[in-house]
Amino acid sequence: LYYISKSAIEGIQTLLKEGKKDEAALKPLMDKIVDPTNVPDEEMMLPIDMRGVGQDFESVEDIVEALGVVGAAEAFVKAREYFDANKEGEPEDERPKPMAASEWKRT
C-alpha cells in the first residue's frame, strides 16, 4: 500500500485517456508521486495497492527506472484501480482512507 497525490493520479488518468502518453506531459505529475514531500499540505493523498502493478519493486524510483515515466504512470493508474476494485473484499470501514498531505507527512 502506498499513498499518492490525488491531483497527480487524476491528471495522469486524464492524459492517458486522451492518448497523451508523452513523457513531457506526464513527468510533472509523476514528480509529485516520486517525491510526495512536495505535495501541498491541503492536497488529498489517495491509497493505492501496488499489487495492481503486477511486479514487485523496492521503491517508486525503481518503478520509474524499470518502466520509464509513461510505463510508471500507467502502473500507478493500475494500482489505484486495483485498490478501488477491493478484490480481497475488505470491509469498507477497515480499508485505508484518503488523507490530507499534511496528515500523511506526519505518519
Side-chain angles (χ1 to χ4, degrees):
L1 188 75
Y2 190 73
Y3 276 81
I4 60 172
S5 155
K6 180 180 179 186
S7 67
I9 194 65
E10 288 176 348
I12 288 167
Q13 288 170 319
T14 299
L15 288 172
L16 293 177
K17 281 181 189 167
E18 293 173 354
K20 296 178 181 169
K21 294 186 175 188
D22 64 284
E23 189 171 321
L26 292 167
K27 186 158 181 4
L29 298 168
M30 285 299 298
D31 288 345
K32 289 175 78 172
I33 293 174
V34 172
D35 186 8
T37 59
N38 291 326
V39 174
D41 286 347
E42 66 278 1
E43 189 166 327
M44 292 304 292
M45 301 290 283
L46 301 178
I48 61 172
D49 190 331
M50 297 307 289
R51 292 178 294 180
V53 175
Q55 298 177 46
D56 288 331
F57 294 97
E58 293 294 318
S59 69
V60 174
E61 293 84 359
D62 288 347
I63 295 171
V64 176
E65 186 176 317
L67 303 177
V69 171
V70 175
E74 292 170 333
F76 286 111
V77 168
K78 288 178 188 173
R80 179 65 189 160
E81 290 169 349
Y82 190 93
F83 178 85
D84 287 341
N86 191 15
K87 295 182 187 240
E88 310 295 317
E90 190 175 17
E92 198 58 41
D93 62 338
E94 295 177 18
R95 299 190 80 212
K97 304 283 185 248
M99 66 177 81
S102 58
E103 182 182 350
W104 176 84
K105 289 172 185 175
R106 289 192 300 268
T107 59

